[in-house]
Amino acid sequence: MTATEIRNALIKGLYEYLGDGIPVYRSGQVSEEQSLPYVIYTVVTTNGSGRTMGHYSVCREGERTEEIREEQESMTISFTACSQNRTDGNGNYIHGEDEAQEIAEMAHAWFVHAGYDYFVKNKIVIADVTEVRGRNSLAGNVEANRKGFDIICNYISEDRRNIPFVGQVMIGREEKG
């Protein structure tokens, strides 16, 4: 699998777990600001590995032969739940700090336990999940309420290349007379 495939699987799973009301999207995108609340993510590192040569195997199908190299890789993704103090459509006051905390804890719970079956199905191992921390920032003259955490996940990457293969070789013996 590739880092992009792993990222897409994680984001899809988290979005489905949080429900339709809370979008999950990549930070730094040029797009209109999402309505609150939402979760943003940043891929911090990819292709971290155990610095090994990997596991090599050969696969032959007919005249085609491939060498396959597999290695455990890791990726770190940072998630941040975003909210703001506001009044909803029904006139209820929403405390942005509390809402961001609740969403961050819900997402955190998915990574540490509730999403286990989803991760196994997608061949992803969640190696570590950091604690939820405050990530508030000042947006103009209003503080944006943000709570977040990082995950480190492991997966198997695979590289393939075609290699020459010698099939049958006829060896004959010359008789000297």
Side-chain angles (χ1 to χ4, degrees):
M1 297 185 82
T2 67
T4 301
E5 291 170 330
I6 296 297
R7 180 206 64 204
N8 290 348
L10 288 175
I11 301 312
K12 179 180 183 279
L14 179 60
Y15 176 75
E16 289 170 355
Y17 179 72
L18 293 176
D20 290 337
I22 304 173
V24 179
Y25 70 99
R26 193 171 80 188
S27 67
Q29 294 297 292
V30 178
S31 64
E32 294 180 24
E33 187 172 338
Q34 300 289 321
S35 58
L36 295 167
Y38 55 85
V39 174
I40 57 174
Y41 70 89
T42 302
V43 176
V44 179
T45 63
T46 60
N47 302 103
S49 67
R51 306 288 181 237
T52 67
M53 291 296 293
H55 171 76
Y56 285 81
S57 60
V58 175
C59 177
R60 181 172 179 230
E61 292 178 15
E63 295 298 315
R64 185 169 168 240
T65 306
E66 283 186 316
E67 180 180 61
I68 304 164
R69 179 185 171 274
E70 296 176 309
E71 183 176 24
Q72 178 178 299
E73 305 249 2
S74 69
M75 176 171 33
T76 303
I77 304 177
S78 181
F79 291 92
T80 303
C82 302
S83 184
Q84 201 168 28
N85 294 341
R86 64 191 188 286
T87 303
D88 70 9
N90 298 325
N92 300 316
Y93 186 75
I94 296 170
H95 294 275
E97 185 82 13
D98 293 344
E99 184 177 51
Q101 182 72 34
E102 289 169 6
I103 293 168
E105 287 178 358
M106 196 165 130
H108 189 274
W110 186 69
F111 283 107
V112 297
H113 180 69
Y116 177 80
D117 292 333
Y118 181 85
F119 305 138
V120 169
K121 182 179 85 174
N122 286 282
K123 300 177 183 176
I124 303 168
V125 174
I126 302 301
D128 192 19
V129 182
T130 65
E131 63 278 356
V132 174
R133 295 181 180 205
R135 295 180 174 176
N136 286 0
S137 65
L138 193 59
N141 62 349
V142 178
E143 187 170 34
N145 302 115
R146 304 171 93 173
K147 300 285 184 169
F149 59 93
D150 297 343
I151 67 149
I152 299 172
C153 65
N154 294 334
Y155 58 96
I156 302 297
S157 70
E158 183 179 274
D159 299 310
R160 292 174 172 258
R161 69 180 184 135
N162 291 326
I163 59 174
F165 178 79
V166 177
Q168 288 185 323
V169 177
M170 299 298 291
I171 299 177
R173 233 155 106 179
E174 251 184 65
E175 299 270 336
K176 293 192 180 182

